[in-house]
Amino acid sequence: MGTPTLQQLQHYDIVFAFDAGGLWNDPLAMGNVLADYEDGGGVVVVGDIAWYNFGHWYLEARWMFDGYSSYGLTLQNLYDYNTACITGSSHPLLAGVSNLSANDRIGVTLTSGATAIAMWTDGPPAVAYKTNNGRTAVGINAPTWFQRVILRGLGSRDSKRREMAP
């Protein structure tokens, strides 16, 4: 699938963008369209290894470098199985979630203004969000299968959602 257009994304209240193993079709175009979408009031959820600073595995452009992303880039791989400590159990993103565990994570850090609502016990955030001018971006630092647990809560609302892969 190629990079979606802003017009395609505007049909949804929430979009979930993930890199499916480090192969964004066009990380520059994707980063710009996600920033445009968030500027227009959409909620952006990004996951998997979108912050892994190797080749074109990470998102680029405005979404990554102009203050939208909840995480900064990293080169640290965390392959070990780990459990997250849920620090924001009352947050709607974690509604109905009592336990989070995963492997194949990365050692991200929070960007300025981001808030973690779950932390891996070995240090990095598992789930974080960042609000920019009333618009929200969510970062999920885990493999795609893990992210579907979080997205079930988002999808259960009246919002339309769409999952996007490159």
Side-chain angles (χ1 to χ4, degrees), residues 55-66:
H56 289 289
W57 287 37
Y58 62 91
L59 275 174
E60 297 180 25
R62 291 181 51 231
W63 198 85
M64 185 60 73
F65 301 116
D66 286 357

Side-chain angles (χ1 to χ4, degrees), residues 5-13 36-37 40 160:
T5 66
L6 178 59
Q7 292 73 29
Q8 289 172 314
L9 297 183
Q10 287 173 327
H11 292 282
Y12 304 94
D13 299 318
D36 291 343
Y37 174 76
K160 296 172 277 184

Side-chain angles (χ1 to χ4, degrees), residues 3 45 61 81 94 153:
T3 303
V45 180
Y81 186 79
L94 296 177

Side-chain angles (χ1 to χ4, degrees), residues 111-127:
T111 58
S112 178
T115 302
I117 55 175
M119 297 290 292
W120 295 114
T121 57
D122 60 358
V127 181

Side-chain angles (χ1 to χ4, degrees), residues 7 11 18 20 36 39 46 50 61-63 68 83 92 98 100 111-112 116-118 128 139 149 154 161 165:
Q7 292 73 29
H11 292 282
F18 59 97
D36 291 343
D39 286 343
V46 173
R62 291 181 51 231
W63 198 85
Y68 294 83
T83 299
S98 60
L100 298 172
T111 58
S112 178
I117 55 175
V149 171
L154 289 172
R161 74 175 184 151

Side-chain angles (χ1 to χ4, degrees), residues 100-118:
L100 298 172
S101 298
N103 57 351
D104 295 331
R105 305 158 294 111
I106 56 176
V108 293
T109 56
L110 294 173
T111 58
S112 178
T115 302
I117 55 175

Side-chain angles (χ1 to χ4, degrees), residues 38-141:
E38 189 174 323
D39 286 343
V43 175
V44 175
V45 180
V46 173
D48 213 6
I49 55 173
W51 303 273
Y52 186 57
N53 191 6
F54 180 79
H56 289 289
W57 287 37
Y58 62 91
L59 275 174
E60 297 180 25
R62 291 181 51 231
W63 198 85
M64 185 60 73
F65 301 116
D66 286 357
Y68 294 83
S69 177
S70 53
Y71 299 139
L73 297 177
T74 185
L75 276 170
Q76 182 184 17
N77 286 308
L78 301 169
Y79 297 114
D80 294 337
Y81 186 79
N82 197 269
T83 299
C85 175
I86 298 172
T87 58
S89 59
S90 63
H91 194 282
L93 282 170
L94 296 177
V97 177
S98 60
N99 185 339
L100 298 172
S101 298
N103 57 351
D104 295 331
R105 305 158 294 111
I106 56 176
V108 293
T109 56
L110 294 173
T111 58
S112 178
T115 302
I117 55 175
M119 297 290 292
W120 295 114
T121 57
D122 60 358
V127 181
Y129 69 93
K130 184 173 184 177
T131 303
N132 296 299
N133 298 317
R135 297 173 298 275
T136 303
V138 178
I140 304 175
N141 176 21

